[in-house]
Amino acid sequence: MKSEPSFSDILTASANGWSQRDSDEFLLSLAVPIQRVNPLAQLPLLSKGEQFRFLWDEAPELCIAASGECQHLDLAGPRRFELAQRFSENIFGRIQDAIPIAPSQANPRILLSFSFFDQISERKRSFPASSPLQAILPRWQLTTHGFNGWLRLNGVPSNESEVRELVEELWIMRDQLSSSNENEFSISQSSIPGICQSNKWKNCYEKALIQGIDLVNNGVLDKLVLAVRQSILLNAPLDPLLMLGRLRKQQSSSCRFLWQRSEEQAFFGASPERLLVVRNGYLQSDALAGTAMLNDDGQELLKSEKDLREHELVVKSITQQLLNKGLSPHRSRSPRLAKHGQLLHLHTPITAAIQNQQPLSLAKALHPTPAVAGLPRQEAMQWINNLEPFDRGSYAAPLGWIDNCGNAEFRVAIRCGSAVGNRLELTAGAGLVRGSIAEREMQEVGLKLAVLADQLDLIEPNIQLRQFNNRAII
């Protein structure tokens, strides 16, 4: 915009939108520019008095903090992607944007969290997941790209007086955020509760791992991804923002995320894997499979027949799913190395023009990729259900957003944890193909669990540690 809108500008535009409404389902969306704010650090202020909190942190690129619920829809069942798409189209069709010429970073967004399976298994549920899985139009949305930011407020006013109240509320919040002393340094330096008890996840994982390796070695499956869940009892309740503040520095090339339904219940992590990015009519998906151990420069990974074969299975599957949707995907001839914290992965980006396809229809076609499930897809998912003693919930499921211009981004929710009060559960998996070795897969899972576990400040002396590649894994 050429000049920053004044209070009067926004009030006038909002009043005009109210007077021109054509139905009782009027949704008013207000936005104002705000400079030099940090959404991660400002989320506590933005969410004051609100139950729902969301963070999408690719800083210094796109960073979104959101809180509260203006509109929402619970998502479950085999048609959950279609329901989410219909809900998004309905909401965006009802919104009256008082500042329609704001940049794309300020666009109103629907936030979405899906489950890995169509339904969360009540039989296996032993720990509260971040359910219900939902599509949410947040009440507050703070978006930044570099130093430039926009604050947005969504509301459902019932009269002109409430329109003015929304404008005043937006202005007050902008002033509070601009003058706040909250910063990233204070978050990253804060103490995180230490461990007082941790389960021996390896004992639970080894039997399933051996069965999974037998399945791929005997040709029953081409690939199978088996996950393990590590349960940790902390000395005090965990604020996930403290962990995410540290991960911003240690996992800078990943997308740090938070989906928090209440003060005591949160799902969070640092995902290196894009399921789908749609911008200006073009799509990108990441094939990310094959992991190098700590202190590896990746050269062995690039020559590993087993890892290259596993990676190519993922590339071909994503490419075929896009072909099945009528797209013409492009991929690089060979994978490159992608570094995420202490881990190296084989990475092949896959791109295509979306040709008027709906983002959530494409997300449905791609989920789950062989990087988190296996091949053939349906058979692998059945074996996951049989061999994993817990329900995956949101683990390895799509989490992200869609905006009112059809842009969207979904990450595969890996390198993640769920927290309820003093209890933290971390989930990680390994991809099994012909030639997989149980001990090596165990090491890989340990390193993935450590992405979050290493952020905890204290480890009590009664916790047994085992060394893998010069690194302590709980």
Side-chain angles (χ1 to χ4, degrees):
M1 298 182 63
K2 291 183 178 180
S3 61
E4 182 175 317
S6 66
F7 178 89
S8 297
D9 293 335
I10 296 179
L11 182 59
T12 300
S14 302
N16 288 339
W18 169 258
S19 64
Q20 295 171 14
R21 70 193 187 283
D22 55 8
S23 74
D24 293 333
E25 297 184 331
F26 178 71
L27 271 170
L28 182 61
S29 191
L30 314 172
V32 63
I34 182 169
Q35 305 302 315
R36 297 184 179 276
V37 293
N38 182 343
L40 187 154
Q42 302 289 8
L43 185 52
L45 177 57
L46 191 73
S47 61
K48 189 174 182 180
E50 306 284 2
Q51 287 289 308
F52 174 68
R53 297 200 300 178
F54 173 88
L55 183 70
W56 184 271
D57 182 22
E58 296 177 289
E61 302 298 318
L62 180 68
C63 187
I64 306 167
S67 68
E69 299 180 29
C70 179
Q71 302 282 288
H72 75 271
L73 175 72
D74 292 349
L75 300 174
R79 297 183 61 247
R80 62 197 192 280
F81 288 94
E82 292 94 329
L83 293 173
Q85 184 71 47
R86 187 181 306 171
F87 171 79
S88 301
E89 291 172 354
N90 174 268
I91 293 299
F92 292 139
R94 291 167 51 193
I95 281 181
Q96 175 69 42
D97 193 344
I99 309 292
I101 57 174
S104 61
Q105 69 186 37
N107 289 346
R109 288 172 167 84
I110 302 291
L111 313 175
L112 299 118
S113 176
F114 294 91
S115 59
F116 183 84
F117 290 102
D118 291 348
Q119 301 282 352
I120 291 179
S121 172
E122 293 297 330
R123 176 178 60 86
K124 291 185 177 182
R125 189 202 295 267
S126 60
F127 182 76
S130 56
S131 58
L133 291 310
Q134 290 186 323
I136 293 177
L137 175 70
R139 192 163 182 271
W140 290 104
Q141 176 184 304
L142 175 62
T143 312
T144 62
H145 191 283
F147 292 121
N148 300 316
W150 282 78
L151 176 66
R152 181 173 289 276
L153 174 61
N154 301 305
V156 188
S158 57
N159 54 57
E160 194 167 350
S161 176
E162 291 183 359
V163 171
R164 183 182 181 91
E165 289 176 4
L166 285 172
V167 179
E168 291 174 346
E169 194 173 358
L170 175 71
W171 219 254
I172 291 171
M173 179 61 78
R174 188 193 69 159
D175 289 345
Q176 290 178 341
L177 292 172
S178 297
S179 60
S180 172
N181 292 324
E182 293 292 335
N183 58 69
E184 180 183 344
F185 178 80
S186 63
I187 287 180
S188 64
Q189 295 301 307
S190 298
S191 176
I192 298 178
I195 299 170
C196 58
Q197 183 180 345
S198 176
N199 71 333
K200 295 179 175 64
W201 60 267
K202 290 182 61 182
N203 298 336
C204 303
Y205 192 48
E206 190 170 13
K207 182 178 179 180
L209 192 62
I210 292 172
Q211 287 183 264
I213 290 175
D214 285 343
L215 288 170
V216 295
N217 283 340
N218 292 330
V220 177
L221 298 171
D222 295 318
K223 180 178 181 180
L224 178 63
V225 180
L226 286 179
V228 66
R229 186 156 286 172
Q230 179 186 14
S231 181
I232 298 172
L233 188 63
L234 302 172
N235 292 327
L238 174 70
D239 180 353
L241 290 182
L242 302 182
M243 191 171 282
L244 291 168
R246 295 184 178 186
L247 290 170
R248 174 179 275 193
K249 296 180 179 180
Q250 297 180 18
Q251 301 287 324
S252 59
S253 57
S254 296
C255 177
R256 285 74 60 193
F257 63 85
L258 168 67
W259 186 279
Q260 186 164 9
R261 300 295 304 135
S262 66
E263 184 176 350
E264 290 195 347
Q265 184 172 324
F267 178 64
F268 58 96
S271 173
E273 185 174 352
R274 295 181 182 90
L275 177 71
L276 180 73
V277 179
V278 174
R279 288 195 181 93
N280 302 318
Y282 285 88
L283 162 158
Q284 177 176 323
S285 183
D286 287 344
L288 200 73
T291 304
M293 297 293 100
L294 200 64
N295 301 323
D296 193 328
D297 63 4
Q299 294 310 303
E300 290 300 318
L301 185 63
L302 290 170
K303 298 174 184 176
S304 167
E305 186 272 339
K306 177 261 182 187
D307 288 294
L308 289 171
R309 177 160 37 86
E310 177 187 354
H311 184 79
E312 189 62 20
L313 286 173
V314 176
V315 174
K316 287 184 176 179
S317 176
I318 294 174
T319 302
Q320 187 59 53
Q321 294 298 334
L322 295 177
L323 286 169
N324 293 344
K325 296 293 290 183
L327 305 186
S328 301
H330 300 276
R331 53 161 293 186
S332 57
R333 290 185 179 181
S334 57
R336 63 189 68 170
L337 292 174
K339 186 175 187 295
H340 295 278
Q342 300 295 326
L343 297 178
L344 283 171
H345 302 285
L346 294 176
H347 173 222
T348 297
I350 301 167
T351 59
I354 66 171
Q355 302 174 3
N356 297 318
Q357 295 271 5
Q358 296 174 326
L360 284 162
S361 175
L362 296 170
K364 178 184 179 182
L366 293 174
H367 172 73
T369 73
V372 292
L375 285 171
R377 178 192 282 183
Q378 292 305 317
E379 289 86 343
M381 292 180 74
Q382 289 173 5
W383 280 107
I384 289 170
N385 209 15
N386 290 334
L387 294 175
E388 292 179 358
F390 54 88
D391 187 278
R392 286 194 172 191
S394 298
Y395 169 71
L399 184 146
W401 54 266
I402 182 171
D403 73 12
N404 61 336
C405 293
N407 299 312
E409 183 166 354
F410 292 93
R411 290 275 173 158
V412 181
I414 54 177
R415 312 290 190 274
C416 60
S418 295
V420 175
N422 287 36
R423 188 172 172 186
L424 172 64
E425 292 210 346
L426 308 179
T427 310
L432 310 177
V433 295
R434 181 170 42 86
S436 290
I437 300 171
E439 183 66 13
R440 186 183 186 280
E441 304 302 334
M442 201 86 74
Q443 292 177 10
E444 179 178 323
V445 168
L447 288 171
K448 291 174 179 177
L449 289 171
V451 169
L452 296 190
D454 280 1
Q455 309 309 313
L456 301 169
D457 284 333
L458 301 175
I459 299 178
E460 297 294 333
N462 62 340
I463 299 296
Q464 293 183 354
L465 302 179
R466 180 168 180 177
Q467 293 293 328
F468 283 138
N469 295 323
N470 301 318
R471 186 178 185 132
I473 304 298
I474 299 168

